[in-house]
Every structure is written in structure tokens, then in C-alpha cells.
């Protein structure tokens, strides 16, 4: 039975008993000293059970409302706890996800830094090797140029010596040839003189 139905029935019963009360009170004389006491007894007889019933019903209703309020409060508490737990889990999940992403980005940055450092070291090593190769090549070229220059100088010296020796031989040959021509001329002159002397006695005889 609902609260409104119970209340309506109580009101109707109270009105009916109130309408019947004057008829009962008419039996008692108003000047009787025990009238008020009898009236209280009559009222207690008529309304006491109803009042107690009302009190019992109000107590039950109050208990019911208290239980409903307690259940509602517990339900709200459970819902809030569930919502709080859900929010905590979501926040924790988001925090973990952000932490993982941050770790991954940190690892990516670390790997990139290591790669750049390795690349810089590799480029530096290649530059050092190229510099060494260039220095070595330059030294080799200079050595070859020096050797070739020395060879050319030695070859020029040898050729100069050979040319000088050849020129000196030619001069000696020319001098020897001139000397031979002078001796031949002397021999020829001597032969001519002898021939001249030989022809002279012959002509006189």
C-alpha cells in the first residue's frame, strides 16, 4: 500500500470518527466533573489505536525512507567510487601511455644522437684518412719530382760531359789533322827541293 492511500484512509477514518464523537459525547452531561476524564478515555478508546497505528505507520515509513536514503546514499557512493576508480584507471592509462611515448621519443632522440655522433666520427675519420692520403700523395709526388729532377740534372751533366769530351776530341782531331798537313807540306817541299837539285846537274851535263 502506498503512502498516499494510507494517509487518505486515515483521514477518512478520522473524519468518520470525529462525526460520530458528538453523538457519543451527548450522553455525558457537560456539568459532570468526570466528563473531561471520560472524554479523554473515550478519545483514547476511539483514537488511541488509530494514533498508535499512525505512529507505527509513520515509523515504518520513516524506516523505509531511511532505508531508501541509505540505499540511495550507498548506491551513489558505489557509483562515485566506480566513477573515481574509472577516472583513476583512465588517468593511470593515459599517464602510462604518455610515459611510454616519452620514453620512446627519448630513445629515438638518443638513437638519433648516437647516429649523428657516429656519423660525425665517421666523417672525421674519412677526412683524416683523406688528409693522410693527400699528404702521402703530395710527398710521393714531391719525391718523384725530386728524383726526376735529379735524373734530368744527372742526364744533362752526363750529356754536357759527353758533349764537352766530344768537342775536345774534335778539337784534338782538328789539331792533329793540321799538324799532319804541315808535316806533309814539309815533306813535299823537301821532295821538291831534292827534285830541283837532281834536275840541275843533269841539265849541265
Amino acid at each position: 500500500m502506498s503512502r498516499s492511500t494510507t494517509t487518505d484512509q486515515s483521514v477518512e477514518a478520522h473524519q468518520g470518527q470525529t462525526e460520530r464523537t458528538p453523538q457519543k459525547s451527548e450522553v455525558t452531561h457537560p456539568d459532570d466533573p468526570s466528563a473531561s476524564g471520560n472524554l479523554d478515555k473515550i478519545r483514547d478508546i476511539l483514537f488511541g489505536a488509530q494514533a498508535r497505528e499512525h505512529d507505527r505507520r509513520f515509523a515504518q515509513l520513516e524506516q523505509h525512507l531511511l532505508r531508501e536514503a541509505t540505499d540511495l546514499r550507498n548506491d551513489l557512493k558505489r557509483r562515485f567510487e566506480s566513477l573515481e576508480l574509472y577516472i583513476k584507471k583512465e588517468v593511470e592509462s593515459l599517464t602510462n601511455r604518455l610515459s611510454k611515448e616519452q620514453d620512446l621519443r627519448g630513445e629515438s632522440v638518443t638513437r638519433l644522437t648516437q647516429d649523428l655522433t657516429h656519423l660525425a666520427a665517421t666523417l672525421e675519420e674519412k677526412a683524416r684518412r683523406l688528409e693522410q692520403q693527400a699528404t702521402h700523395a703530395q710527398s710521393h709526388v714531391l719525391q718523384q719530382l725530386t728524383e726526376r729532377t735529379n735524373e734530368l740534372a744527372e742526364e744533362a751533366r752526363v750529356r754536357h760531359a759527353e758533349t764537352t769530351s766530344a768537342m775536345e776530341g774534335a778539337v784534338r782531331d782538328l789539331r792533329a789533322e793540321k799538324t799532319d798537313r804541315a808535316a806533309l807540306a814539309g815533306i813535299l817541299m823537301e821532295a821538291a827541293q831534292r827534285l830541283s837539285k837532281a834536275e840541275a846537274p843533269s841539265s849541265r851535263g
Side-chain angles (χ1 to χ4, degrees):
M1 183 181 293
S2 63
R3 181 181 176 183
S4 59
T5 305
T6 305
T7 305
D8 294 338
Q9 292 178 354
S10 300
V11 172
E12 291 176 357
H14 179 70
Q15 290 178 353
Q17 292 178 359
T18 303
E19 292 176 354
R20 290 193 300 270
T21 301
Q23 297 175 359
K24 187 68 178 180
S25 62
E26 291 176 356
V27 178
T28 304
H29 195 277
D31 296 332
D32 191 353
S34 61
S36 59
N38 293 331
L39 183 59
D40 292 335
K41 290 180 181 181
I42 292 171
R43 288 178 179 176
D44 183 65
I45 292 172
L46 295 176
F47 301 106
Q50 186 177 3
R52 286 191 294 272
E53 181 65 20
H54 287 173
D55 292 337
R56 184 181 66 81
R57 291 182 178 179
F58 281 127
Q60 290 178 352
L61 181 60
E62 184 178 4
Q63 291 178 357
H64 178 72
L65 292 176
L66 288 175
R67 284 194 301 270
E68 290 290 334
T70 302
D71 293 339
L72 180 60
R73 183 168 59 251
N74 293 332
D75 184 63
L76 290 176
K77 184 179 180 181
R78 286 192 299 271
R79 290 178 182 271
F80 279 122
E81 289 177 352
S82 177
L83 180 61
E84 183 179 4
L85 181 62
Y86 173 76
I87 293 174
K88 286 183 178 179
K89 288 182 178 179
E90 288 296 323
V91 172
E92 184 177 359
S93 177
L94 181 60
T95 303
N96 292 333
R97 187 162 60 250
L98 292 175
S99 179
K100 289 181 180 179
E101 290 180 359
Q102 186 176 2
D103 293 338
L104 290 176
R105 290 183 180 180
E107 292 177 358
S108 299
V109 172
T110 302
R111 286 195 299 270
L112 180 59
T113 303
Q114 292 176 353
D115 293 339
L116 290 176
T117 303
H118 180 69
L119 180 60
T122 303
L123 292 176
E124 185 177 358
E125 181 65 19
K126 288 183 177 180
R128 186 180 63 81
R129 290 181 180 178
L130 289 174
E131 185 178 0
Q132 290 179 352
Q133 292 176 359
T135 303
H136 180 71
Q138 184 178 2
S139 300
H140 182 67
V141 170
L142 290 175
Q143 183 179 0
Q144 287 182 346
L145 288 175
T146 302
E147 292 176 355
R148 184 61 179 167
T149 302
N150 293 331
E151 290 177 357
L152 291 174
E154 181 65 18
E155 185 178 356
R157 187 184 64 79
V158 171
R159 288 183 179 180
H160 182 268
E162 291 177 352
T163 303
T164 302
S165 177
M167 291 179 65
E168 289 178 353
V171 170
R172 284 194 301 270
D173 292 340
L174 289 173
R175 286 179 180 177
E177 184 178 358
K178 184 177 180 181
T179 300
D180 292 340
R181 287 179 181 180
L184 180 60
I187 293 170
L188 291 174
M189 287 179 66
E190 184 178 358
Q193 287 176 2
R194 286 180 180 182
L195 289 174
S196 298
K197 288 179 180 181
E199 289 178 356
S202 298
S203 62
R204 282 194 303 268

